[in-house]
Coordinates of all heavy atoms in Angstrom, one line a residue:
M23 N -87.1 62.7 7.3 CA -86.9 64.1 6.9 C -87.2 64.2 5.4 O -86.8 63.3 4.6 CB -85.4 64.5 7.1 CG -85.1 65.9 6.8 SD -83.4 66.4 7.1 CE -82.9 65.5 8.5
N24 N -87.8 65.3 5.0 CA -88.1 65.5 3.6 C -87.2 66.6 3.0 O -86.8 67.5 3.7 CB -89.6 66.0 3.4 CG -90.6 64.9 3.9 OD1 -90.3 63.7 3.7 ND2 -91.7 65.3 4.5
A25 N -87.0 66.5 1.7 CA -86.2 67.5 1.0 C -87.3 68.2 0.1 O -87.7 67.7 -0.9 CB -85.1 66.9 0.1
L26 N -87.6 69.4 0.5 CA -88.7 70.1 -0.2 C -88.0 70.8 -1.5 O -87.0 71.4 -1.4 CB -89.3 71.2 0.6 CG -90.2 70.7 1.7 CD1 -90.7 71.8 2.6 CD2 -91.4 70.0 1.1
I27 N -88.7 70.7 -2.6 CA -88.3 71.3 -3.8 C -89.4 72.3 -4.2 O -90.6 71.9 -4.4 CB -88.1 70.3 -5.0 CG1 -87.0 69.4 -4.6 CG2 -87.8 71.1 -6.3 CD1 -86.9 68.2 -5.5
Y28 N -89.1 73.6 -4.1 CA -90.1 74.6 -4.3 C -90.2 74.9 -5.8 O -89.2 75.1 -6.5 CB -89.8 75.9 -3.5 CG -90.0 75.6 -2.1 CD1 -88.8 75.4 -1.3 CD2 -91.2 75.6 -1.4 CE1 -88.9 75.1 0.1 CE2 -91.3 75.4 -0.1 CZ -90.2 75.1 0.7 OH -90.3 74.9 2.0
I29 N -91.4 75.0 -6.3 CA -91.6 75.2 -7.8 C -92.5 76.4 -8.0 O -93.6 76.5 -7.3 CB -92.2 73.9 -8.4 CG1 -91.3 72.8 -8.3 CG2 -92.6 74.2 -9.9 CD1 -91.9 71.4 -8.6
D30 N -92.2 77.3 -8.9 CA -93.0 78.4 -9.2 C -94.0 78.0 -10.3 O -93.6 77.8 -11.5 CB -92.1 79.5 -9.8 CG -92.9 80.8 -10.2 OD1 -94.1 80.8 -10.0 OD2 -92.3 81.7 -10.7
L31 N -95.2 77.8 -9.9 CA -96.3 77.3 -10.9 C -96.5 78.3 -12.0 O -97.0 77.9 -13.1 CB -97.6 77.0 -10.1 CG -97.5 75.8 -9.2 CD1 -98.8 75.7 -8.4 CD2 -97.2 74.5 -9.9
D32 N -96.2 79.6 -11.8 CA -96.3 80.6 -12.9 C -95.3 80.3 -14.0 O -95.5 80.8 -15.1 CB -96.1 82.0 -12.4 CG -97.4 82.6 -11.9 OD1 -98.5 82.0 -12.1 OD2 -97.4 83.7 -11.3
S33 N -94.3 79.6 -13.7 CA -93.3 79.3 -14.7 C -93.5 78.0 -15.4 O -92.6 77.6 -16.2 CB -91.8 79.4 -14.1 OG -91.7 78.4 -13.2
V34 N -94.6 77.4 -15.2 CA -94.9 76.1 -15.8 C -95.5 76.4 -17.2 O -96.6 77.0 -17.3 CB -95.9 75.3 -15.0 CG1 -96.3 74.0 -15.8 CG2 -95.3 74.9 -13.7
H35 N -94.7 76.1 -18.3 CA -95.1 76.4 -19.6 C -95.1 75.1 -20.5 O -94.1 74.8 -21.1 CB -94.2 77.5 -20.3 CG -94.3 78.8 -19.6 ND1 -93.2 79.6 -19.5 CD2 -95.3 79.4 -18.9 CE1 -93.5 80.7 -18.8 NE2 -94.8 80.6 -18.4
P36 N -96.1 74.3 -20.4 CA -96.1 73.1 -21.2 C -95.9 73.3 -22.7 O -96.5 74.2 -23.2 CB -97.5 72.5 -20.9 CG -98.0 73.2 -19.7 CD -97.4 74.5 -19.7
V37 N -95.1 72.5 -23.3 CA -94.9 72.5 -24.7 C -95.6 71.4 -25.4 O -95.5 70.2 -25.1 CB -93.3 72.4 -25.0 CG1 -93.1 72.5 -26.5 CG2 -92.6 73.6 -24.3
I38 N -96.4 71.8 -26.4 CA -97.1 70.8 -27.2 C -96.7 71.1 -28.7 O -96.9 72.2 -29.2 CB -98.6 71.0 -27.1 CG1 -99.1 70.9 -25.7 CG2 -99.4 70.0 -28.0 CD1 -100.6 71.2 -25.5
D39 N -96.1 70.1 -29.3 CA -95.7 70.2 -30.7 C -94.9 71.5 -31.0 O -95.2 72.2 -32.0 CB -96.9 70.1 -31.6 CG -97.6 68.8 -31.6 OD1 -96.9 67.8 -31.3 OD2 -98.8 68.7 -31.8
G40 N -94.0 71.8 -30.2 CA -93.1 73.0 -30.4 C -93.7 74.3 -30.0 O -93.1 75.4 -30.3
V41 N -94.9 74.3 -29.4 CA -95.5 75.6 -29.0 C -95.6 75.6 -27.5 O -96.2 74.6 -26.9 CB -96.9 75.8 -29.7 CG1 -97.6 77.1 -29.2 CG2 -96.7 75.8 -31.2
W42 N -95.1 76.6 -26.8 CA -95.3 76.6 -25.4 C -96.6 77.4 -25.0 O -96.9 78.4 -25.6 CB -94.1 77.1 -24.6 CG -93.7 78.6 -24.8 CD1 -92.8 79.1 -25.7 CD2 -94.2 79.7 -24.0 NE1 -92.7 80.4 -25.5 CE2 -93.5 80.8 -24.5 CE3 -95.1 79.8 -23.0 CZ2 -93.7 82.1 -24.0 CZ3 -95.3 81.1 -22.4 CH2 -94.6 82.2 -22.9
H43 N -97.2 76.8 -24.0 CA -98.5 77.4 -23.6 C -98.4 77.8 -22.1 O -97.5 77.6 -21.4 CB -99.6 76.3 -23.7 CG -99.8 75.8 -25.1 ND1 -100.8 76.2 -25.9 CD2 -99.1 74.9 -25.8 CE1 -100.8 75.6 -27.1 NE2 -99.7 74.8 -27.1
R44 N -99.5 78.4 -21.7 CA -99.6 78.7 -20.3 C -100.8 77.9 -19.7 O -101.8 77.7 -20.4 CB -99.9 80.2 -20.0 CG -98.7 81.1 -20.4 CD -99.0 82.5 -20.0 NE -98.0 83.4 -20.3 CZ -96.9 83.6 -19.5 NH1 -96.9 83.1 -18.3 NH2 -96.0 84.5 -19.9
A45 N -100.6 77.4 -18.5 CA -101.7 76.7 -17.8 C -101.7 77.4 -16.4 O -100.8 78.1 -16.0 CB -101.4 75.3 -17.7
S46 N -102.7 77.2 -15.6 CA -102.8 77.7 -14.3 C -103.1 76.5 -13.3 O -104.1 76.5 -12.7 CB -103.8 78.8 -14.1 OG -105.0 78.5 -14.8
P47 N -102.1 75.6 -13.2 CA -102.3 74.5 -12.3 C -102.3 75.0 -10.8 O -101.6 75.9 -10.5 CB -101.2 73.5 -12.6 CG -100.1 74.4 -13.1 CD -100.8 75.5 -13.8
T48 N -103.0 74.3 -10.0 CA -103.0 74.6 -8.6 C -101.9 73.8 -7.8 O -101.6 74.1 -6.7 CB -104.3 74.4 -7.9 OG1 -104.7 73.1 -8.2 CG2 -105.4 75.4 -8.5
S49 N -101.4 72.8 -8.5 CA -100.3 72.0 -8.0 C -99.6 71.4 -9.2 O -100.1 71.4 -10.3 CB -100.8 70.9 -7.1 OG -101.6 70.0 -7.8
M50 N -98.4 70.8 -9.0 CA -97.7 70.2 -10.1 C -98.5 69.0 -10.6 O -98.8 68.1 -9.8 CB -96.3 69.8 -9.7 CG -95.3 71.0 -9.6 SD -95.2 71.9 -11.1 CE -94.3 70.8 -12.1
P51 N -98.8 68.9 -11.9 CA -99.4 67.7 -12.4 C -98.5 66.5 -12.3 O -97.3 66.6 -12.4 CB -99.7 68.1 -13.9 CG -99.3 69.5 -14.0 CD -98.5 69.9 -12.9
D52 N -99.1 65.4 -12.0 CA -98.4 64.1 -12.1 C -98.2 63.7 -13.5 O -99.1 64.0 -14.4 CB -99.1 63.0 -11.3 CG -99.1 63.3 -9.8 OD1 -98.1 63.8 -9.3 OD2 -100.1 63.0 -9.2
P53 N -97.2 63.0 -13.9 CA -97.1 62.4 -15.2 C -98.3 61.6 -15.5 O -98.8 60.8 -14.7 CB -95.8 61.5 -15.1 CG -95.0 62.1 -14.0 CD -96.0 62.6 -13.0
G54 N -98.9 61.9 -16.7 CA -100.1 61.2 -17.1 C -101.3 62.0 -16.8 O -102.4 61.6 -17.4
D55 N -101.2 63.0 -16.0 CA -102.4 63.9 -15.8 C -102.7 64.7 -17.0 O -101.8 65.1 -17.8 CB -102.2 64.8 -14.6 CG -102.3 64.2 -13.3 OD1 -102.6 63.0 -13.2 OD2 -102.0 64.9 -12.3
R56 N -104.0 64.9 -17.3 CA -104.4 65.7 -18.4 C -104.4 67.2 -18.0 O -105.0 67.5 -16.9 CB -105.8 65.3 -18.9 CG -106.2 65.9 -20.2 CD -107.3 65.1 -20.8 NE -107.7 65.6 -22.1 CZ -107.0 65.3 -23.3 NH1 -106.0 64.4 -23.2 NH2 -107.4 65.8 -24.4
I57 N -103.7 68.0 -18.8 CA -103.6 69.5 -18.5 C -104.4 70.2 -19.5 O -104.2 69.9 -20.7 CB -102.2 69.9 -18.5 CG1 -101.3 69.1 -17.6 CG2 -102.1 71.4 -18.1 CD1 -99.8 69.4 -17.8
T58 N -105.2 71.2 -19.1 CA -105.8 72.1 -20.1 C -105.1 73.4 -20.0 O -105.0 74.0 -18.9 CB -107.3 72.2 -19.8 OG1 -107.9 70.9 -19.9 CG2 -108.0 73.1 -20.8
M59 N -104.7 73.9 -21.2 CA -104.0 75.2 -21.2 C -105.0 76.4 -21.2 O -106.2 76.1 -21.4 CB -103.2 75.3 -22.5 CG -102.4 74.0 -22.8 SD -101.3 73.5 -21.5 CE -101.1 71.8 -21.9
L60 N -104.5 77.6 -21.1 CA -105.4 78.7 -21.0 C -106.1 78.9 -22.4 O -107.3 79.4 -22.4 CB -104.6 80.0 -20.8 CG -103.9 80.1 -19.4 CD1 -103.3 81.5 -19.2 CD2 -104.9 79.8 -18.3
C61 N -105.5 78.4 -23.5 CA -106.2 78.6 -24.8 C -107.2 77.5 -25.1 O -107.9 77.5 -26.0 CB -105.1 78.5 -25.9 SG -104.2 76.9 -26.0
G62 N -107.3 76.5 -24.2 CA -108.2 75.4 -24.4 C -107.6 74.1 -24.8 O -108.2 73.0 -24.8
A63 N -106.3 74.2 -25.3 CA -105.6 72.9 -25.7 C -105.4 72.1 -24.5 O -105.2 72.5 -23.4 CB -104.3 73.3 -26.4
A64 N -105.5 70.8 -24.7 CA -105.3 69.8 -23.6 C -104.3 68.7 -24.0 O -104.3 68.4 -25.2 CB -106.7 69.2 -23.2
A65 N -103.6 68.3 -23.1 CA -102.6 67.2 -23.4 C -102.2 66.6 -22.1 O -102.6 67.0 -21.0 CB -101.3 67.9 -24.0
V66 N -101.5 65.4 -22.2 CA -101.1 64.7 -21.0 C -99.8 65.1 -20.6 O -98.8 65.3 -21.4 CB -101.1 63.1 -21.4 CG1 -100.6 62.3 -20.2 CG2 -102.5 62.7 -21.8
A67 N -99.6 65.3 -19.3 CA -98.3 65.8 -18.7 C -97.2 64.8 -18.8 O -97.5 63.6 -18.5 CB -98.5 66.2 -17.3
E68 N -96.0 65.2 -19.2 CA -94.8 64.4 -19.0 C -93.7 65.4 -18.7 O -93.9 66.6 -18.9 CB -94.5 63.5 -20.2 CG -94.3 64.2 -21.5 CD -94.0 63.2 -22.6 OE1 -94.6 62.1 -22.7 OE2 -93.2 63.6 -23.5
Y69 N -92.6 64.9 -18.2 CA -91.5 65.8 -17.8 C -90.2 65.4 -18.5 O -90.0 64.3 -18.9 CB -91.3 65.6 -16.3 CG -92.5 66.2 -15.5 CD1 -93.6 65.5 -15.1 CD2 -92.4 67.6 -15.1 CE1 -94.6 66.1 -14.5 CE2 -93.5 68.2 -14.4 CZ -94.6 67.4 -14.1 OH -95.6 68.0 -13.5
E70 N -89.4 66.5 -18.7 CA -88.1 66.3 -19.3 C -87.2 67.4 -18.7 O -87.7 68.4 -18.2 CB -88.3 66.5 -20.8 CG -87.0 66.2 -21.6 CD -86.5 64.8 -21.3 OE1 -87.1 63.8 -21.9 OE2 -85.6 64.7 -20.5
R71 N -85.9 67.1 -18.8 CA -85.0 68.1 -18.2 C -85.0 69.3 -19.1 O -85.1 69.2 -20.4 CB -83.6 67.4 -18.2 CG -83.5 66.3 -17.2 CD -82.2 65.6 -17.4 NE -81.1 66.5 -17.1 CZ -80.3 66.5 -16.1 NH1 -80.5 65.5 -15.2 NH2 -79.3 67.3 -15.9
L72 N -84.8 70.5 -18.5 CA -84.8 71.8 -19.2 C -83.9 71.8 -20.4 O -84.2 72.4 -21.4 CB -84.6 72.9 -18.2 CG -84.7 74.3 -18.8 CD1 -86.1 74.6 -19.4 CD2 -84.3 75.4 -17.8
E73 N -82.7 71.3 -20.2 CA -81.7 71.4 -21.3 C -82.1 70.7 -22.5 O -81.5 70.9 -23.6 CB -80.3 71.0 -20.8 CG -80.2 69.6 -20.3 CD -80.3 69.5 -18.8 OE1 -80.8 70.4 -18.2 OE2 -79.8 68.5 -18.3
R74 N -83.1 69.9 -22.5 CA -83.6 69.2 -23.7 C -84.7 69.9 -24.4 O -85.2 69.5 -25.4 CB -84.1 67.8 -23.3 CG -83.0 66.9 -22.8 CD -83.3 65.5 -22.7 NE -83.5 65.0 -24.1 CZ -84.1 63.8 -24.4 NH1 -84.4 63.0 -23.4 NH2 -84.3 63.4 -25.6
R75 N -85.1 71.1 -23.8 CA -86.2 71.9 -24.3 C -86.1 72.3 -25.8 O -87.0 72.4 -26.5 CB -86.5 73.1 -23.5 CG -87.8 73.8 -23.8 CD -88.0 74.9 -22.7 NE -89.4 75.4 -22.8 CZ -89.6 76.7 -23.2 NH1 -88.6 77.5 -23.5 NH2 -90.8 77.1 -23.3
R76 N -84.8 72.5 -26.2 CA -84.6 73.1 -27.6 C -84.1 72.0 -28.5 O -83.6 72.4 -29.6 CB -83.7 74.2 -27.5 CG -84.2 75.4 -26.8 CD -83.2 76.5 -26.5 NE -83.7 77.5 -25.6 CZ -84.1 78.7 -25.9 NH1 -84.0 79.1 -27.2 NH2 -84.6 79.5 -25.0
E77 N -84.1 70.8 -28.2 CA -83.6 69.7 -29.1 C -84.3 69.6 -30.4 O -83.8 69.2 -31.4 CB -83.6 68.4 -28.3 CG -82.5 68.2 -27.3 CD -82.5 66.8 -26.7 OE1 -83.4 66.0 -27.1 OE2 -81.6 66.6 -25.9
H78 N -85.6 70.0 -30.4 CA -86.4 70.0 -31.6 C -86.7 71.4 -32.1 O -87.8 71.6 -32.7 CB -87.6 69.1 -31.4 CG -87.3 67.7 -31.0 ND1 -86.8 66.8 -31.8 CD2 -87.4 67.1 -29.8 CE1 -86.6 65.6 -31.2 NE2 -87.0 65.8 -29.9
G79 N -85.8 72.3 -31.8 CA -86.1 73.7 -32.2 C -86.6 74.5 -31.0 O -87.0 73.9 -30.0
T80 N -86.5 75.8 -31.1 CA -87.0 76.7 -30.0 C -88.5 76.7 -30.0 O -89.1 77.1 -31.0 CB -86.4 78.1 -30.2 OG1 -84.9 78.0 -30.2 CG2 -86.8 79.0 -29.0
P81 N -89.1 76.4 -28.9 CA -90.6 76.5 -28.9 C -91.0 77.9 -29.1 O -90.4 78.9 -28.6 CB -90.9 76.0 -27.5 CG -89.8 75.2 -27.0 CD -88.6 75.9 -27.6
T82 N -92.2 78.1 -29.7 CA -92.7 79.4 -29.9 C -93.9 79.6 -29.0 O -94.5 78.6 -28.5 CB -93.2 79.6 -31.4 OG1 -94.2 78.6 -31.6 CG2 -92.1 79.5 -32.4
M83 N -94.3 80.8 -28.7 CA -95.3 81.1 -27.7 C -96.7 80.9 -28.4 O -96.9 81.3 -29.5 CB -95.2 82.5 -27.2 CG -96.3 83.0 -26.3 SD -96.1 84.7 -25.8 CE -96.5 85.5 -27.4
C84 N -97.6 80.4 -27.6 CA -99.0 80.3 -28.1 C -99.7 81.6 -28.0 O -99.8 82.1 -26.8 CB -99.8 79.2 -27.2 SG -101.6 79.2 -27.5
P85 N -100.1 82.3 -29.1 CA -100.6 83.6 -29.0 C -101.9 83.7 -28.2 O -102.2 84.7 -27.5 CB -100.8 84.0 -30.4 CG -100.7 82.8 -31.2 CD -99.9 81.8 -30.4
R86 N -102.7 82.6 -28.3 CA -104.0 82.6 -27.6 C -103.8 82.6 -26.1 O -104.5 83.2 -25.3 CB -104.9 81.5 -28.1 CG -106.2 81.4 -27.5 CD -107.1 82.5 -27.9 NE -108.4 82.5 -27.1 CZ -108.9 83.6 -26.6 NH1 -108.4 84.8 -26.7 NH2 -110.0 83.5 -25.8
C87 N -102.9 81.7 -25.7 CA -102.6 81.7 -24.2 C -102.1 83.0 -23.7 O -102.4 83.5 -22.6 CB -101.5 80.6 -23.9 SG -102.1 78.9 -23.7
D88 N -101.3 83.7 -24.6 CA -100.8 85.0 -24.2 C -101.9 86.0 -24.0 O -101.9 86.8 -23.0 CB -99.8 85.5 -25.2 CG -99.1 86.8 -24.8 OD1 -98.5 86.9 -23.7 OD2 -99.2 87.8 -25.6
V89 N -102.9 86.0 -24.9 CA -104.0 86.9 -24.8 C -104.8 86.6 -23.5 O -105.1 87.6 -22.8 CB -105.0 86.8 -26.0 CG1 -106.3 87.4 -25.8 CG2 -104.3 87.3 -27.3
V90 N -105.1 85.4 -23.2 CA -105.9 85.0 -22.0 C -105.1 85.4 -20.8 O -105.6 86.0 -19.9 CB -106.2 83.5 -22.0 CG1 -106.9 83.1 -20.8 CG2 -107.1 83.2 -23.2
Y91 N -103.8 85.1 -20.8 CA -102.9 85.4 -19.6 C -102.9 86.9 -19.4 O -103.1 87.4 -18.2 CB -101.5 84.9 -19.9 CG -100.6 85.2 -18.8 CD1 -100.6 84.4 -17.6 CD2 -99.6 86.3 -18.8 CE1 -99.7 84.7 -16.6 CE2 -98.8 86.5 -17.8 CZ -98.8 85.8 -16.7 OH -97.9 86.0 -15.7
R92 N -102.8 87.7 -20.4 CA -102.8 89.2 -20.2 C -104.1 89.7 -19.7 O -104.1 90.6 -18.9 CB -102.4 89.8 -21.6 CG -100.9 89.7 -21.9 CD -100.7 90.2 -23.3 NE -99.3 90.1 -23.7 CZ -98.3 90.9 -23.4 NH1 -98.6 92.1 -22.8 NH2 -97.1 90.7 -23.8
Q93 N -105.2 89.1 -20.2 CA -106.5 89.5 -19.8 C -106.7 89.2 -18.3 O -107.2 90.0 -17.5 CB -107.6 88.8 -20.5 CG -107.7 89.4 -22.0 CD -108.7 88.5 -22.8 OE1 -109.1 87.4 -22.5 NE2 -109.1 89.1 -23.9
Q94 N -106.2 88.0 -17.9 CA -106.3 87.6 -16.5 C -105.5 88.5 -15.5 O -105.9 88.8 -14.4 CB -105.9 86.2 -16.3 CG -106.9 85.2 -16.9 CD -106.4 83.7 -16.7 OE1 -105.2 83.5 -16.3 NE2 -107.3 82.8 -16.9
K95 N -104.3 88.9 -16.0 CA -103.4 89.7 -15.2 C -103.6 91.2 -15.4 O -102.9 92.0 -14.7 CB -102.0 89.3 -15.5 CG -101.6 87.9 -15.3 CD -101.6 87.5 -13.8 CE -101.2 86.1 -13.6 NZ -101.2 85.7 -12.2
G96 N -104.5 91.7 -16.3 CA -104.6 93.1 -16.5 C -103.4 93.7 -17.2 O -103.2 94.9 -17.1
I97 N -102.8 92.9 -18.0 CA -101.6 93.4 -18.8 C -102.1 93.8 -20.1 O -102.8 93.0 -20.8 CB -100.5 92.3 -18.9 CG1 -100.1 91.8 -17.5 CG2 -99.3 92.8 -19.7 CD1 -99.2 90.6 -17.5
P98 N -101.8 95.0 -20.6 CA -102.2 95.5 -21.9 C -101.6 94.6 -23.0 O -100.5 94.0 -22.8 CB -101.7 96.9 -22.0 CG -100.8 97.2 -20.9 CD -101.0 96.1 -19.9
P99 N -102.3 94.5 -24.1 CA -101.7 93.7 -25.2 C -100.4 94.3 -25.7 O -100.2 95.5 -25.6 CB -102.8 93.7 -26.3 CG -103.7 94.9 -25.9 CD -103.5 95.1 -24.5
P100 N -99.5 93.5 -26.3 CA -98.3 94.0 -26.8 C -98.5 95.0 -28.0 O -99.5 94.9 -28.7 CB -97.5 92.8 -27.3 CG -98.6 91.8 -27.5 CD -99.7 92.1 -26.6
R101 N -97.7 96.0 -28.1 CA -97.8 96.9 -29.2 C -97.5 96.2 -30.5 O -96.6 95.4 -30.5 CB -96.8 98.1 -29.0 CG -97.2 99.1 -28.1 CD -96.4 100.3 -28.4 NE -96.4 101.2 -27.3 CZ -95.6 102.2 -27.3 NH1 -94.8 102.5 -28.3 NH2 -95.6 103.1 -26.3
M102 N -98.2 96.5 -31.5 CA -97.9 96.0 -32.8 C -96.8 96.8 -33.4 O -96.8 98.0 -33.3 CB -99.2 96.0 -33.7 CG -100.4 95.3 -33.1 SD -100.0 93.5 -32.9 CE -100.1 93.0 -34.6
R103 N -95.9 96.1 -34.0 CA -94.8 96.7 -34.7 C -95.3 97.3 -36.0 O -96.0 96.7 -36.7 CB -93.7 95.8 -35.1 CG -92.9 95.3 -33.9 CD -91.8 94.4 -34.3 NE -91.1 93.8 -33.2 CZ -90.3 92.8 -33.2 NH1 -90.0 92.3 -34.4 NH2 -89.8 92.3 -32.2
P104 N -94.9 98.6 -36.3 CA -95.3 99.1 -37.6 C -94.6 98.3 -38.7 O -93.5 97.9 -38.6 CB -94.7 100.6 -37.6 CG -93.8 100.6 -36.4 CD -94.1 99.5 -35.5
S105 N -95.4 98.1 -39.8 CA -94.8 97.3 -40.9 C -94.2 98.2 -42.0 O -94.3 99.3 -42.0 CB -95.8 96.3 -41.4 OG -97.0 97.0 -41.7
Ligands
ZN206 ZN1 -102.1 77.8 -25.7

């Protein structure tokens, strides 16, 4: 008997040097697999428990990944705040 663990691949946001990115994997990468993000950054996959995500500060969003993701999904760009 197997215990299936269902994972939402849309919620996979790899963090590289404190910046979270978006990737569009077709399956969960194995540890050691090379992942290419939507922005073109590439890194080797490793896993950690979610509660450790902020141990080195809150990750910030990769703006280039956001642009590519929005283009792919037909989501308009965010409004710029008036300065
Ligand atoms: Zn990115």
Side-chain angles (χ1 to χ4, degrees):
M23 185 181 323
N24 295 326
L26 288 174
I27 299 171
Y28 294 97
I29 297 170
D30 179 3
L31 292 175
D32 272 350
S33 66
V34 174
H35 298 147
V37 177
I38 304 171
D39 294 332
V41 177
W42 68 266
H43 298 262
R44 291 186 181 273
S46 46
T48 55
S49 63
M50 284 304 287
D52 288 324
D55 284 355
R56 191 161 183 82
I57 307 171
T58 300
M59 315 305 157
L60 297 184
C61 65
V66 175
E68 61 180 37
Y69 290 89
E70 189 53 81
R71 295 172 60 109
L72 181 61
E73 59 263 24
R74 297 194 64 192
R75 189 170 191 251
R76 295 172 190 253
E77 283 186 356
H78 302 288
T80 303
T82 58
M83 179 183 67
C84 170
R86 182 66 189 135
C87 276
D88 186 54
V89 167
V90 174
Y91 179 78
R92 287 173 180 273
Q93 288 172 344
Q94 289 179 346
K95 301 289 185 182
I97 302 170
R101 283 200 201 172
M102 299 301 286
R103 290 186 187 166
S105 50

